[in-house]
Amino acid sequence: SSGINAEWPLRPGIILKIKSLLQMGKKKRKQVPRPERGEYLECLVNEFLVAESAAVKEQVCSNLANFAYNPVNHCHLKRLNVHHIFTGLLIQENINLVKIGIMGLTNFALDKDVNRHLQSQIELVLGLLKIKNDDILMSALTILIYLDSVILSPPQKDLIQSSLGSSLSPQVSNLLEILLEKT
């Protein structure tokens, strides 16, 4: 098995490219280098850009979000503007894409350049606090905690507290407390 899920509706050309990259790493491991990470990530980004199905976009972006967790991948992901893709997902109507976008940004937020990008998107991140989804709330709060030089104004702090209300999970409540102590 090549590791490709046959039910995942990729275009045939992309499937062949990914399979060849994966096979390259399996054949004669000592003589042939593994697939170049940047090339593989570029295939994922291209698949996202041409995808018409929400399910394909969700799958591809989930993969990209997982790659964003590892700092080794940050240079490739920044070159491919994946942080802009994730940011674009935050305004989608599809709640799964919003969740994947904010989680991908959370995985990527400690990178210095991405952190600066997120500082310019603080209002967008704050707007996510109105969505009643613990995964989105925890990721948005974590990003606000990670931001290097953002000082929340009293109206922003009030907005955060009023948006979140009183029916918070313990995890969201703990992150809110950390954020408010930091600022």
Side-chain angles (χ1 to χ4, degrees), residues 24-64:
M24 185 188 310
K26 289 182 180 178
K27 295 177 188 172
K28 303 177 188 175
R29 285 195 185 264
K30 293 180 183 175
Q31 296 173 2
V32 179
R34 298 196 80 201
E36 203 271 309
R37 189 181 307 250
E39 189 175 347
Y40 179 75
L41 292 170
E42 189 172 347
C43 283
L44 287 176
V45 168
N46 288 334
E47 184 59 28
F48 171 79
L49 294 174
V50 299
E52 294 179 15
S53 158
V56 172
K57 287 182 182 265
E58 289 173 18
Q59 181 65 48
V60 172
C61 284
S62 290
N63 288 337
L64 290 169

Side-chain angles (χ1 to χ4, degrees), residues 26-127:
K26 289 182 180 178
K27 295 177 188 172
K28 303 177 188 175
R29 285 195 185 264
K30 293 180 183 175
Q31 296 173 2
V32 179
R34 298 196 80 201
E36 203 271 309
R37 189 181 307 250
E39 189 175 347
Y40 179 75
L41 292 170
E42 189 172 347
C43 283
L44 287 176
V45 168
N46 288 334
E47 184 59 28
F48 171 79
L49 294 174
V50 299
E52 294 179 15
S53 158
V56 172
K57 287 182 182 265
E58 289 173 18
Q59 181 65 48
V60 172
C61 284
S62 290
N63 288 337
L64 290 169
N66 287 336
F67 276 104
Y69 185 76
N70 187 343
V72 168
N73 299 317
H74 288 179
C75 63
H76 301 295
L77 295 170
K78 286 189 297 188
R79 178 179 57 81
L80 296 167
N81 289 314
V82 171
H83 54 297
H84 292 285
I85 291 173
F86 290 150
T87 303
L89 295 177
L90 303 183
I91 59 170
Q92 297 295 310
E93 289 182 21
N94 178 329
I95 197 75
N96 290 329
L97 287 174
V98 173
K99 182 167 73 169
I100 294 165
I102 194 69
M103 293 173 117
L105 286 168
T106 303
N107 286 347
F108 210 176
L110 291 176
D111 177 89
K112 180 176 56 173
D113 297 322
V114 174
N115 194 285
R116 259 193 311 276
H117 166 73
L118 287 168
Q119 290 174 38
S120 72
Q121 302 296 318
I122 191 164
E123 293 301 324
L124 187 57
V125 174
L126 287 171

